[in-house]
Amino acid sequence: MKYYLAVDIGASSGRHILAHMEDGRIVLEEIYRFYNGMDEKGHHQVWDTERLFSEILEGMKKCKEEGKIPATMGIDTWGVDYVLLDKDDNPVGDCIAYRDGRTKGMDEEVYKIIPEDELYARTGIQKAIFNTIYQLMSTKVRKPEKLERARTFLMIPDYFHFLLTGVRKQEYTNASTTQLVNAETADWDHELIARLGYPDELFGELSMPGTVVGPIKKEIESKVGFSCTVVLPATHDTGSAVMSVPCTDENTLYISSGTWSLMGCELEKANCTKKAQTANFTNEGGYQHRYRFLKNIMGLWMIQSVKKEFEEGYDYPGKNPKDDYSFANLCDRAEKETIDSVVPANDSRFLNPESMIREVQKACEESGQTVPITPWELSRVIYRSLAVCYKQATEEIEEITGKNFDSINIVGGGSNAVYLNKLTAAETGRTVNAGPGEATAIGNIGAQMIADGVFAGLQEFRKCVFDSFGVVRY
């Protein structure tokens, strides 16, 4: 049996998923799961990359214990965050997380050099204050010595691949989230980088998903108990998720639903028009130089945050010690409520508030709507608000592209939220196809399998995804 390993690390958890082919279908098995989250350190929110890498190795050891040795493996994570290495390959400072406040005001610093309209026309990437371009500007303005010491720039999955193999590869789909890649050439925009004053030597050749990085180092092999080869997936988790969208008709939109909801379509050529910029759509790099024309919507981060607050003891009338705050129960109970309030879910106020519960309540108060109190009322308001965002994004995509879309394929963990799927179908007036839930891991594995010759290409892989996992229609 030939196995392929996807290490899929999100903003709240990571998991090791093994896959093999059986009777023409892809079979998945979760081997290991671990916690992820931001830490407070030195007045910043940071990722503990050392701990995360130790978790990667632990999951690999579990493969050995199960006697299921992967032939290849690849790692995907969220976008925009990165690690700087010095001349001795040691990290230059902490890996600061995208939700940290250090980028406040850095957009204006960038626009003093590159006007906002020109930046979008060159990169096609939507403005998000946490994008890498603004993170690097914060470093340049406040900690210039860090850039002076840096000799290598690696996005987080690139860094983990480097730790595994000793080989530096900068993968295209994740690099595109930096807002430093040219949408026309699908390569680093070196002129843009020079004008911003970032060290050009940090930005080398970009590699596409399916590229072989190399075998794991001997020291890693001795720790995990086996040898395997690292193959680049689409290292941006949305890039991997979109690879596994099983409904491949041209008139199908997708939503990669997790901490973020990424809603859009695939384009052969980036759409960097003023209309797309005004609607805040982005053109992220995809497999085989496709473009993921999409909008970032706040997503299940809001539900995750509310869930965490209630689990930590947030009080409310009628609270019962036996109350179940699982995602499934929050979703089921929300459907039975009657509150009809909605909030602008994509407003920046919900990006990282001190209390998500209070922020949602304040938004309802300010707009004169009924204020949600219980976990179930809050969940209903959030789910309904997300569905409204999906409707708005659908209309914008159709207006900007001039295309009509009659169905939406929801993939990722959010595809299991039945109530949200029903709301999305009702709000958008489109057929909703939900699944697969493990879309990111499946897409990660798909890039490995295509590279290994299991599938002739993306379409054949997607057909197998549909045959293997199917969808649920709403």
Side-chain angles (χ1 to χ4, degrees):
M1 193 74 71
K2 195 168 191 178
Y3 292 98
Y4 304 84
L5 175 62
V7 182
D8 172 30
I9 308 177
S12 58
S13 69
R15 53 200 173 274
H16 290 58
I17 305 290
L18 273 177
H20 68 276
M21 296 298 296
E22 193 171 301
D23 298 326
R25 286 179 165 79
I26 301 168
V27 178
L28 301 181
E29 178 183 2
E30 183 178 302
I31 290 291
Y32 187 67
R33 182 177 286 262
F34 56 94
Y35 164 79
N36 188 28
M38 298 174 290
D39 296 330
E40 291 283 345
K41 185 178 179 182
H43 305 294
H44 288 293
Q45 292 182 300
V46 304
W47 302 110
D48 187 345
T49 53
E50 187 174 334
R51 183 187 66 79
L52 287 175
F53 188 64
S54 71
E55 295 283 17
I56 291 170
L57 298 185
E58 282 301 313
M60 293 172 70
K61 292 175 186 176
K62 291 292 183 184
C63 294
K64 172 66 174 177
E65 291 173 12
E66 296 283 336
K68 298 173 180 178
I69 308 302
T72 65
M73 66 174 292
I75 301 168
D76 67 79
T77 74
W78 62 97
V80 307
D81 289 339
Y82 59 90
V83 175
L84 297 174
L85 301 179
D86 65 17
K87 61 182 178 59
D88 299 314
D89 291 331
N90 296 314
V92 179
D94 295 311
C95 176
I96 301 179
Y98 65 91
R99 292 187 191 273
D100 184 78
R102 68 176 175 148
T103 54
K104 184 178 181 180
M106 290 301 110
D107 49 347
E108 296 305 319
E109 293 297 321
V110 168
Y111 301 151
K112 288 176 185 176
I113 303 168
I114 310 287
E116 186 173 2
D117 288 353
E118 180 188 351
L119 184 60
Y120 188 85
R122 295 179 80 115
T123 68
I125 298 298
Q126 72 177 140
K127 178 184 178 179
I129 194 60
F130 50 71
N131 284 353
T132 316
I133 191 173
Y134 307 118
Q135 293 195 43
L136 286 170
M137 182 56 70
S138 175
T139 300
K140 177 187 170 186
V141 170
R142 298 185 176 118
K143 300 281 186 181
E145 66 278 5
K146 289 179 68 174
L147 281 182
E148 291 169 7
R149 288 175 54 205
R151 296 293 180 270
T152 302
F153 168 93
L154 295 173
M155 304 300 281
I156 288 181
D158 296 335
Y159 175 58
F160 291 144
H161 288 149
F162 168 69
L163 293 180
L164 286 171
T165 66
V167 178
R168 299 175 182 82
K169 291 282 187 186
Q170 294 177 312
E171 191 272 328
Y172 166 66
T173 68
N174 216 319
S176 72
T177 71
T178 63
Q179 211 170 354
L180 294 168
V181 170
N182 188 286
E184 187 70 30
T185 66
D187 196 2
W188 296 114
D189 192 325
H190 290 283
E191 180 189 343
L192 175 66
I193 289 165
R195 286 166 63 185
L196 290 167
Y198 303 157
D200 188 66
E201 68 179 287
L202 300 179
F203 306 94
E205 179 184 359
L206 291 179
S207 298
M208 296 300 296
T211 301
V212 174
V213 180
I216 62 175
K217 296 186 292 187
K218 292 296 182 182
E219 63 185 86
I220 301 296
E221 183 180 335
S222 65
K223 289 180 180 179
V224 301
F226 62 87
S227 177
C228 73
T229 298
V230 173
V231 174
L232 290 180
T235 65
H236 186 223
D237 49 13
T238 311
S240 277
V242 171
M243 272 191 71
S244 70
V245 171
C247 297
T248 57
D249 294 339
E250 288 293 316
N251 60 350
T252 296
L253 296 171
Y254 61 77
I255 302 175
S256 178
S257 181
T259 300
W260 290 90
S261 291
L262 298 312
M263 185 173 190
C265 62
E266 282 190 305
L267 299 177
E268 294 295 323
K269 181 178 172 58
N271 185 323
C272 301
T273 61
K274 183 63 179 176
K275 188 178 287 187
Q277 179 189 359
T278 301
N280 211 26
F281 274 77
T282 200
N283 296 268
E284 294 176 351
Y287 185 76
Q288 291 182 332
H289 289 100
R290 286 171 167 78
Y291 288 90
R292 292 176 281 123
F293 184 67
L294 58 85
K295 171 166 276 192
N296 281 36
I297 299 169
M298 198 65 71
L300 298 181
W301 161 251
M302 297 177 74
I303 287 288
Q304 291 166 357
S305 300
V306 164
K307 175 180 184 289
K308 182 179 179 182
E309 286 185 62
F310 282 116
E311 287 175 339
E312 291 176 348
Y314 195 99
D315 199 15
Y316 56 92
K319 182 176 181 179
N320 188 314
K322 296 182 179 180
D323 279 341
D324 176 7
Y325 305 122
S326 67
F327 290 121
N329 193 53
L330 287 171
C331 195
D332 290 344
R333 292 282 298 270
E335 187 172 7
K336 297 170 184 171
E337 297 294 328
T338 58
I339 187 171
D340 59 3
S341 303
V342 295
V343 298
N346 224 28
D347 193 287
S348 60
R349 68 189 296 172
F350 302 115
L351 182 62
N352 197 22
E354 287 187 18
S355 167
M356 186 65 74
I357 293 172
R358 284 297 303 140
E359 203 64 39
V360 172
Q361 291 172 334
K362 283 196 295 183
C364 291
E365 287 170 0
E366 292 163 6
S367 56
Q369 300 180 87
T370 303
V371 176
I373 302 298
T374 68
W376 340 115
E377 289 176 341
L378 281 151
S379 297
R380 179 182 174 88
V381 169
I382 291 170
Y383 284 129
R384 294 185 74 245
S385 302
L386 288 175
V388 169
C389 285
Y390 297 162
K391 177 186 179 181
Q392 294 169 344
T394 298
E395 293 170 350
E396 289 171 335
I397 293 168
E398 290 191 333
E399 181 183 353
I400 294 167
T401 65
K403 298 179 180 181
N404 293 317
F405 298 91
D406 58 17
S407 65
I408 300 170
N409 201 140
I410 302 178
V411 298
S415 66
N416 298 314
V418 174
Y419 177 48
L420 180 56
N421 295 338
K422 291 177 181 177
L423 287 171
T424 303
E427 281 288 339
T428 64
R430 270 70 172 180
T431 298
V432 167
N433 299 299
E438 286 288 359
T440 302
I442 294 168
N444 180 323
I445 287 160
Q448 298 179 52
M449 286 183 164
I450 294 171
D452 198 35
V454 177
F455 302 107
L458 183 59
Q459 292 300 101
E460 186 177 310
F461 165 66
R462 282 176 164 166
K463 182 180 183 304
C464 186
V465 172
F466 184 84
D467 293 341
S468 301
F469 305 102
V471 296
V472 178
R473 287 193 168 85
Y474 296 86

